[in-house]
Amino acid sequence: MLYPMFFMVMLTFVILLFTLRIRLASVRRGEVSLSYYSMFQGEEIPDLVIKTSRNVANLFEVPVLFYAAGVLYVALEMSDPVPVTLAWIFVTARVIHTAIHLSYNNVMHRLIVFGLGNLSVLGMWISIVSSAGAAS
């Protein structure tokens, strides 16, 4: 379980750095004033700045449930491979979701991959609770 969680952390940091790069470039090019970033309001913002910011925010929403499930799995010293497989499905779905979101941004494609990822987290929780419940 450690590896899918680590991979998710790495994805988050890659997108954080990418977002920082995009924001700095938007200020340098004069597309966005530096003061915009104090309250994130009051200006027309380039699409890429908006997309990267929303993608970062998204990496701190459902992934919290993913990390909680992963930590629980490790803390309970579980060995059931199902939650780990579902964790990898989630991470893969998030990578694909991010790639779609930051490139051609087809909403239906994003929705399908986003839904698959969310269902995998739900499956992780169900599998962990079922296994832990059977053990107690």
Side-chain angles (χ1 to χ4, degrees):
M1 186 62 72
L2 184 61
Y3 292 117
M5 290 193 310
F6 177 72
F7 201 93
M8 195 64 203
V9 168
M10 294 308 296
L11 173 64
T12 301
F13 275 93
V14 165
I15 298 305
L16 279 168
L17 290 172
F18 182 66
T19 300
L20 176 62
R21 184 173 160 258
I22 295 299
R23 288 179 180 181
L24 290 173
S26 72
V27 171
R28 268 189 241 128
R29 287 191 301 265
E31 297 170 333
V32 180
S33 69
L34 187 57
S35 64
Y36 166 79
Y37 292 106
S38 66
M39 296 294 287
F40 292 92
Q41 61 186 9
E43 293 183 36
E44 186 76 22
I45 304 304
D47 285 348
L48 189 56
V49 172
I50 293 169
K51 285 195 302 188
T52 56
S53 297
R54 288 185 180 161
N55 198 271
V56 165
N58 189 260
L59 289 171
F60 288 95
E61 294 169 354
V62 172
V64 170
L65 299 174
F66 164 76
Y67 292 125
V71 168
L72 185 61
Y73 179 91
V74 171
L76 293 174
E77 298 178 354
M78 299 179 83
S79 60
D80 183 357
V82 172
V84 177
T85 301
L86 291 167
W88 279 117
I89 291 169
F90 175 73
V91 170
T92 302
R94 279 304 164 125
V95 169
I96 294 168
H97 176 268
T98 295
I100 293 168
H101 193 196
L102 298 180
S103 61
Y104 69 98
N105 201 21
N106 181 294
V107 174
M108 289 309 296
H109 294 170
R110 274 182 32 219
L111 178 64
I112 291 166
V113 176
F114 187 77
L116 175 65
N118 290 349
L119 287 174
S120 67
V121 170
L122 177 61
M124 284 175 66
W125 272 98
I126 291 169
S127 180
I128 290 167
V129 169
S130 296
S131 293
S136 57

